[in-house]
Amino acid sequence: MTTTVVTGLGVIAPTGLGVDDYWKATLEGRNGIAPITKFDASGYPSSLAGQVVGFHAADHLPGRLLPQTDHMTRMALAAAQWAWDDAGLDPAQLPEFSAGVVTASSSGGYEFGERELRNLWAKGASYVSAYQSFAWFYAVNTGQISIRHQMRGPTGVLVSDQAGGADAIAHARRQIRKGARVMLAGGVDSSLCSWGWIAHLASGRVSTADDPRRAYLPFSADARGHVPGEGGALLVLEEETAARARGARIYGVVAGHAATLDPPPGSGRPSTLEAALRGALADADVHPDEVDVVFCDGAAIPELDRIEAAAINAVFGEGAVPVTVPKTMTGRLFSGAVALDAAAALLSIRDGVIPPTINATAAPDLGLDLVTETPRSLPVRIALIVARGIGGFNSALVLRAA
Amino acid sequence: MSTTEFTLADLCRILTEAAGADGSTAISDDALDTEFEELGYDSLALMETGARIERAYGIRIAEEDLAAALTPRALIDLVNRMTAAA
């Protein structure tokens, strides 16, 4: 069987631009959640977010791309360039159809769309940007990345809310198995504008706390919802033999994946999350005892936290595996979340350290060994990432040391 | 009848507003007959440019006329015909 390895990372997060800044901040437990400054959120019941700070698109992108890109696409294009640089590859130098890209998307380019809708009502149709035709669109990050880097191989976009990042990485692995030379996969997301904010609040899952240290507390007795964030990561995936042949640095192996769908609300049937965890481990041919850390979904909704803890305990045994939610530092990044967790897991493998779940205190009745406040040093060979999306999406991804 | 002529400089300015710029986007007189596609402007960039010209000059340019104006000279001539008729 073809082995798919990760050879490059491009990270853009509320806690740092680029892998090094992000990882340093993550191990320091820096909180990237703060009052929203991108728009006036003072009139809304929730006003905290994980915002990417210090990213100036014009420093990273050609001027010709600026009028046609939403903020999330600009961040995705920067992360893509960083991932290729990190991998030491330029896909434009590869044979024409050998490089592809699969991204996850949850909402599209909301900020761009909001501005153009405002132009439509306030000034009229002739004031709406022609680039609105694609700048808001779900598939736009995949499209812009493939055009910029001349990647004419297999491309796609996966839309399964926060589970999407895992599904995108898994689909890219499928394309490597089918013969693609190299794939870029992951997600970079943002919908922190007043229109996007209304959509987030409509989920009923956004914390209304004012204190950035008390707002997003997964698995805690006082869990009260999540904090939305922006950013994500893109990963360079290659077949192992080809990667080794070119002397690439290998972060780890994309070893297993499974996705399930929950029954509809009110059906009375249980969540299928546990089956996703077991499926991913089976796909990776990994026994639960071999897993060193679980990066949890961490919804911070008491009922959803109970379901996730129960699934983890059913698979591993109560308190038998360290679990963590570094999302507490960034907020939930939707289609960017799993890719960022995957980057963190690969860096955990590299450095032998589990990043902390800041601010949270594990509720004793959940039976989890939650790594809180400070990183825990231990050898990490195998990591499981758990992800859920609104709409019943469950997805699990296994990464292991090469 | 309008007496203000739409010039190459006007076109360059609006192209920059519409499609962005890297360094100078000035189109030289030599490039007046070079197709926009070769100059790096795709159909969407030209649609956006057309919409901005319409707003700035108070004219309506038919989609098929815009699509047929393949070069800077053709587009400048088209705009001047429309403003003259307006």
Side-chain angles (χ1 to χ4, degrees), chain A residues 259-276:
Chain A
T260 64
L261 199 62
D262 276 341
S267 72
R269 285 178 281 143
S271 166
T272 58
L273 181 62
E274 182 187 332

Side-chain angles (χ1 to χ4, degrees), chain B:
Chain B
M1 180 174 162
S2 168
T3 52
T4 317
E5 205 191 3
F6 183 72
T7 64
L8 180 59
D10 295 325
L11 176 61
C12 288
R13 175 175 48 79
I14 293 178
L15 272 171
T16 300
E17 289 166 7
D22 292 300
S24 169
T25 47
I27 295 169
S28 69
D29 288 342
D30 302 348
L32 269 170
D33 296 308
T34 307
E35 293 202 358
F36 283 115
E37 196 175 327
E38 201 176 316
L39 294 169
Y41 295 98
D42 60 20
S43 58
L44 270 181
L46 293 173
M47 272 184 67
E48 178 64 17
T49 300
R52 285 169 185 266
I53 291 170
E54 287 182 335
R55 276 150 30 196
Y57 293 85
I59 55 173
R60 288 282 303 141
I61 304 174
E63 260 180 60
E64 54 272 26
D65 291 343
L66 182 65
L70 298 177
T71 65
R73 189 190 305 279
L75 182 53
I76 291 166
D77 289 349
L78 172 64
V79 173
N80 281 321
R81 279 200 308 279
M82 300 305 296
T83 49

Side-chain angles (χ1 to χ4, degrees), chain A residues 235-260:
Chain A
L235 284 61
V236 176
L237 271 51
E238 299 178 67
E239 188 275 314
E240 184 174 20
T241 315
R244 290 199 186 280
R246 72 174 186 91
R249 174 214 19 228
I250 295 175
Y251 285 102
V253 176
V254 181
H257 169 261
T260 64

Side-chain angles (χ1 to χ4, degrees), chain A residues 61-68 126-131 133-134, chain B residues 17-22 39-42 44-45 47-48 51 55:
Chain A
L61 298 183
R64 291 291 299 275
L65 281 174
L66 297 178
Q68 56 177 279
S126 71
Y127 286 81
V128 175
S129 166
Y131 296 112
S133 57
F134 61 70
Chain B
E17 289 166 7
D22 292 300
L39 294 169
Y41 295 98
D42 60 20
L44 270 181
M47 272 184 67
E48 178 64 17
R55 276 150 30 196

Side-chain angles (χ1 to χ4, degrees), chain A residues 177-220:
Chain A
R177 286 174 168 174
K178 288 160 90 174
R181 168 66 189 84
V182 57
M183 294 292 296
L184 192 71
V188 177
D189 211 340
S190 176
S191 44
L192 300 181
C193 57
S194 54
W195 183 32
W197 200 241
I198 290 295
H200 287 304
L201 298 184
S203 73
R205 294 183 179 188
V206 179
S207 173
T208 54
D210 299 326
D211 180 353
R213 292 164 303 177
R214 305 299 304 154
Y216 179 28
L217 306 169
F219 302 119
S220 302

